[in-house]
Amino acid sequence: MKPRQKRLAVIVGIVAAVGIAAALVLNAFQSNLVFFYSPSQVAAQEAPVGRTFRLGGLVEAGSVQRDGVTVRFAVTDTVKTIPVRFQGILPDLFKEGKGVVAQGQVGTDGVFVAREVLAKHDENYMPPEAADALKRAGAVNQKLSGTLVKESTK
């Protein structure tokens, strides 16, 4: 093998090794990537089916039902509500009407099966994704109420 061919083989080997390493890193990153969706987005079927994602919003008042270690509650963004089932111990700060982010998947019955539930940690904090979803839902509510007011005045 000539020196030129050896250099070419080394360069090809390095490029192949870097390509394989990049593919492995991207594959690991893709499998650990978890997106956030609001209840309106989940109801509109924008959330991935069969993949883990985060659902955030407010715990709907009067929706918490406990059956042993299984807890059922609903997460709302004031426009849409998604039922959630969680098996385990909820955080101490989990309360009705407060912000929550649940990580899990939507089951075949349309119920979000949470594997992890995160609650807000102080009076003024709300997960940014949940706050944005509520702001967007609030904007939609205002638009809808404005439309209803306009229609009722006609």
Side-chain angles (χ1 to χ4, degrees), residues 7-8 38 51 53 63 65 75 96 104 118 140 146 149 154:
R7 278 184 287 182
L8 184 61
S38 69
R51 290 206 53 193
F53 64 92
S63 68
Q65 299 172 348
V75 175
E96 293 178 355
L118 307 170
V140 170
V149 169
K154 290 182 180 178

Side-chain angles (χ1 to χ4, degrees), residues 6 17 24 28 31 44-45 73 77 88-89 103 108 112 117 127 148:
K6 287 182 181 178
L24 291 173
S31 64
Q45 299 180 346
F73 58 95
D77 60 358
I89 299 172
Q103 184 171 324
T108 56
F112 185 82
V117 174
L148 293 175

Side-chain angles (χ1 to χ4, degrees), residues 72-110:
R72 296 177 192 275
F73 58 95
V75 175
T76 184
D77 60 358
T78 68
V79 175
K80 297 287 182 180
T81 301
I82 300 295
V84 177
R85 183 176 59 235
F86 175 68
Q87 201 165 21
I89 299 172
L90 290 170
D92 292 337
L93 298 174
F94 178 86
K95 292 180 182 171
E96 293 178 355
K98 299 295 181 182
V100 67
V101 175
Q103 184 171 324
Q105 297 180 349
V106 175
T108 56
D109 55 355

Side-chain angles (χ1 to χ4, degrees), residues 39-50:
S40 294
Q41 290 174 311
V42 174
Q45 299 180 346
E46 294 177 19
V49 176

Side-chain angles (χ1 to χ4, degrees), residues 8 21-22 30 35-36 41 49 55 58-60 64 72 82 84 90 94 101 128-129 133 143 146 148 150:
L8 184 61
Q30 180 71 25
F35 291 102
F36 177 88
Q41 290 174 311
V49 176
L55 172 69
L58 299 174
V59 178
E60 189 173 54
V64 178
R72 296 177 192 275
I82 300 295
V84 177
L90 290 170
F94 178 86
V101 175
E129 297 91 353
K143 287 181 184 177
L148 293 175
K150 288 179 184 176

